[in-house]
């Protein structure tokens, strides 16, 4: 599997142009090929801080337990089986917390920019966590809110305008006001349940 390198300039350019919010978290018109049930996620063993690993596992457990078709278990094999890959690095400067980008198996991306909506179905996603920003978070659950949010994008969820929703874009509202770090019943779960 050929991997694309996400350049820093791309990430900066896309930092303020993430998905626009809808009344509730909606679905992109495209999907993960093969669906979101019975799949596997992988974590970069060389991530900048292993403290991210239990948070990534917890975020996946939250989605697994959310009453959706989402069902992913951890694999140590990046190649060929993992459909969600998690990276935690220092993507200086600290303008964004997390970014999800989706790809075909030949390494070509299905988005024209960071945060743009996919234009085709995808084979796998890379979820990049920016330690340069996240290490200043006030709690691990705040960081988990970012991880769970990005995981929602990886299963084709768009942003929500429901302020307590995990897919609400502003963490200073969804987490700092509502304490949301897991999928909420009112929007995310309903829509995720529609993903085949
Ligand atoms: Zn988002």
């Amino acid at each position: 599997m050929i991997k694309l390198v996400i350049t820093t300039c791309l990430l900066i350019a896309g930092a303020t142009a993430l998905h626009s919010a809808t009344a509730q978290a909606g679905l992109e018109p495209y999907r993960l090929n093969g669906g979101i049930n019975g799949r596997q996620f992988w974590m970069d063993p060389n991530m900048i801080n292993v403290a991210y690993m239990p948070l990534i596992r917890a975020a996946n457990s939250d989605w697994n337990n959310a009453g959706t078709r989402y069902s992913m278990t951890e694999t140590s094999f990046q190649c060929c089986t993992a459909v969600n890959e998690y990276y935690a690095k220092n993507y200086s400067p600290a303008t964004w917390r997390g970014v999800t980008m989706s790809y075909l198996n030949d390494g070509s991306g299905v988005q024209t920019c960071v945060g743009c909506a996919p234009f085709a179905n995808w084979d796998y996603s890379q979820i990049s966590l920016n330690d340069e920003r996240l290490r200043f978070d006030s709690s691990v659950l705040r960081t988990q809110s970012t991880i769970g949010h990005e995981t929602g994008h990886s299963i084709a969820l768009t942003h929500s305008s429901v302020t307590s929703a995990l897919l609400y874009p502003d963490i200073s509202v969804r987490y700092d006001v509502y304490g949301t770090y897991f999928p909420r019943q009112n929007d995310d779960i309903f829509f995720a349940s529609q993903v085949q």
Side-chain angles (χ1 to χ4, degrees):
M1 187 182 295
I2 301 168
K3 302 298 178 192
L4 288 185
V5 175
I6 303 173
T7 63
T8 301
C9 60
L10 261 180
L11 292 167
I12 294 168
T16 57
L18 299 176
H19 312 276
S20 59
T22 56
Q24 292 184 309
L27 280 173
E28 303 285 3
Y30 300 103
R31 301 284 184 275
L32 169 67
N33 285 322
I36 61 173
N37 183 264
R39 309 306 295 271
Q40 294 181 308
F41 72 91
W42 172 88
M43 297 185 288
D44 176 13
N46 298 312
M47 66 175 59
I48 194 167
N49 189 331
V50 295
Y52 288 107
M53 290 184 169
L55 303 181
I56 293 167
R57 293 184 180 114
N60 274 275
S61 291
D62 288 340
W63 276 108
N64 284 339
N65 296 329
T68 72
R69 293 189 176 92
Y70 185 93
S71 165
M72 292 208 196
T73 54
E74 184 179 343
T75 178
S76 58
F77 299 103
Q78 176 188 21
C79 176
C80 312
T81 59
V83 294
N84 275 355
E85 303 174 352
Y86 292 87
Y87 298 84
K89 299 179 182 177
N90 182 345
Y91 298 98
S92 183
T95 52
W96 53 276
R97 288 180 166 77
V99 161
T100 299
M101 295 291 284
S102 300
Y103 302 92
L104 298 173
N105 278 334
D106 67 3
S108 58
V110 300
Q111 290 135 296
T112 55
C113 72
V114 173
C116 289
F119 58 77
N121 290 353
W122 56 91
D123 293 319
Y124 68 98
S125 296
Q126 294 184 340
I127 297 167
S128 302
L129 306 172
N130 190 358
D131 182 70
E132 180 71 6
R133 183 71 180 268
L134 291 169
R135 62 191 156 99
F136 299 116
D137 266 357
S138 54
S139 73
V140 293
L141 292 181
R142 199 171 194 269
T143 297
Q144 192 175 320
S145 183
T146 293
I147 298 169
H149 175 101
E150 293 305 321
T151 301
H153 287 319
S154 79
I155 60 172
L157 289 174
T158 61
H159 278 156
S160 172
S161 63
V162 176
T163 50
S164 62
L166 185 60
L167 268 291
Y168 190 74
D170 187 348
I171 195 170
S172 70
V173 176
R174 74 167 188 268
Y175 182 79
D176 295 343
V177 176
Y178 296 99
T180 300
Y181 62 90
F182 50 86
R184 294 276 192 178
Q185 187 102 35
N186 63 347
D187 53 350
D188 311 309
I189 293 174
F190 171 78
F191 284 103
S193 70
Q194 310 304 306
V195 179
Q196 297 298 316

